[in-house]
Amino acid sequence: MLNMNKVAGINVDRVQTIIADTCKNANRDKGEITIVGVTKYTDANGIISCVEAGINDIGENKAQDAIAKIDELPLNHKRNIKWHFIGHLQTNKVKYIVPHFSLIHSLDRLSLAKEINKQAIKLDITVECLIQVNVSGEQTKYGVAINEALEFARNLEQYERIKIVGLMTMAPYFNDPELARPVFSRLRCLKEEIAQLSLANYDMKHLSMGMSNDFVVAIEEGATIVRLGSILFNNN
Ligand SMILES: *Cc1c(COP(=O)(O)O)cnc(C)c1O
């Protein structure tokens, strides 16, 4: 459960209220939604503020920055954190990420899967991942193309130390977040299509979608994980 302590600079109460209202209107249980506090804009103190405000799921998008911050954190905070790797993951950084991170949101190519699987075998663990899908087809975005996603999902079955627990996408930035809705609903349909394949090592329970500007629409379309940075840290 989240506590509602007010921590300077972190707008947790405001975000919680928006999520509660959105869930109510959408007939969803707000307990289904996990907030990942994206701390790429801050130092280790930002992470501590998140944890003290009750956000224990922390997202970082750059391997080197993430590891540096993890090293800096005091043990009592580190123990409580569930780390989410949300950025593009270079294959040569996998060995640094796998030991610390609970969920990798950005699995988007087989060479990456192969390396994650290899590191998981070394540590004798299973690594939970989301398949990142480039729903919008923007050239600047990472992710598997939508029309290649089913085949990609089938190909991942061979990596026994990877457990796929859902899908992730980033919508293009729109001034009107309503315009992101088709991207999110498409990802939800794709999640169902992949679930119907009944692949080994799959549990298609998560949709990681929605950022500060569009998380309300994403929740309306079924998001279970929202990745929030600027709305938590901006004092506007
Ligand atoms: C930075 C980032 C976010 C958070 O973005 P905000 O708009 O600041 O909420 C979410 N997801 C990913 C992959 C990011 O890189």
Side-chain angles (χ1 to χ4, degrees):
M1 273 314 293
L2 292 173
N3 69 53
M4 288 299 193
N5 289 347
K6 191 105 193 141
V7 174
I10 305 280
N11 303 313
V12 176
D13 291 357
R14 176 174 150 216
V15 169
Q16 292 286 7
T17 304
I18 297 170
I19 290 177
D21 290 348
T22 305
C23 284
K24 198 168 173 208
N25 293 335
N27 251 319
R28 295 191 61 192
D29 175 356
K30 65 180 191 295
E32 293 172 12
I33 317 291
T34 298
I35 299 172
V36 170
V38 176
T39 50
K40 68 187 187 197
Y41 313 102
T42 77
D43 56 15
N45 287 318
I47 298 174
I48 292 171
S49 299
C50 273
V51 175
E52 289 181 345
I55 295 183
N56 295 317
D57 289 84
I58 300 293
E60 285 282 338
N61 70 332
K62 293 209 177 92
Q64 249 136 344
D65 292 356
I67 299 306
K69 291 179 200 177
I70 290 172
D71 282 345
E72 263 180 65
L73 281 173
L75 255 185
N76 62 321
H77 286 100
K78 231 184 289 208
R79 260 198 297 274
N80 295 326
I81 295 175
K82 184 174 172 189
W83 296 99
H84 295 250
F85 196 83
I86 62 173
H88 177 64
L89 183 52
Q90 290 171 276
T91 308
N92 62 356
K93 300 282 165 51
V94 169
K95 59 178 173 289
Y96 306 116
I97 292 304
V98 164
H100 295 288
F101 281 74
S102 308
L103 184 60
I104 294 172
H105 291 229
S106 48
L107 178 53
D108 63 355
R109 57 201 194 278
L110 291 176
S111 56
L112 178 59
K114 188 176 175 189
E115 180 63 18
I116 292 171
N117 195 66
K118 182 176 148 193
Q119 297 301 329
I121 289 169
K122 273 193 192 166
L123 297 168
D124 195 18
I125 58 172
T126 296
V127 178
E128 294 198 343
C129 296
L130 305 174
I131 299 173
Q132 181 173 356
V133 185
N134 183 359
V135 176
S136 65
E138 278 181 298
Q139 296 214 333
T140 54
K141 289 222 159 43
Y142 290 105
V144 183
I146 193 109
N147 59 346
E148 290 165 6
L150 290 179
E151 195 196 341
F152 183 70
R154 283 196 196 91
N155 280 329
L156 288 177
E157 231 188 348
Q158 64 186 296
Y159 299 109
E160 293 176 350
R161 295 305 186 96
I162 292 179
K163 181 170 181 183
I164 301 296
V165 294
L167 305 178
M168 180 273 225
T169 200
M170 289 173 82
Y173 181 86
F174 296 112
N175 282 323
D176 177 3
E178 194 55 42
L179 297 174
R181 190 180 296 279
V183 172
F184 298 140
S185 65
R186 185 69 191 88
L187 195 72
R188 187 187 62 224
C189 293
L190 181 62
K191 170 173 161 283
E192 296 313 318
E193 288 169 45
I194 293 175
Q196 278 167 20
L197 300 176
S198 299
L199 298 169
N201 303 329
Y202 273 66
D203 179 9
M204 295 297 286
K205 58 186 171 186
H206 284 304
L207 284 172
S208 169
M209 56 189 198
M211 308 180 14
S212 292
N213 65 310
D214 56 18
F215 71 102
V216 167
V217 176
I219 289 171
E220 288 168 355
E221 293 299 327
T224 63
I225 299 173
V226 291
R227 308 178 309 267
L228 304 179
S230 44
I231 195 172
L232 290 177
F233 290 99
N234 283 355
N235 293 303
N236 46 26

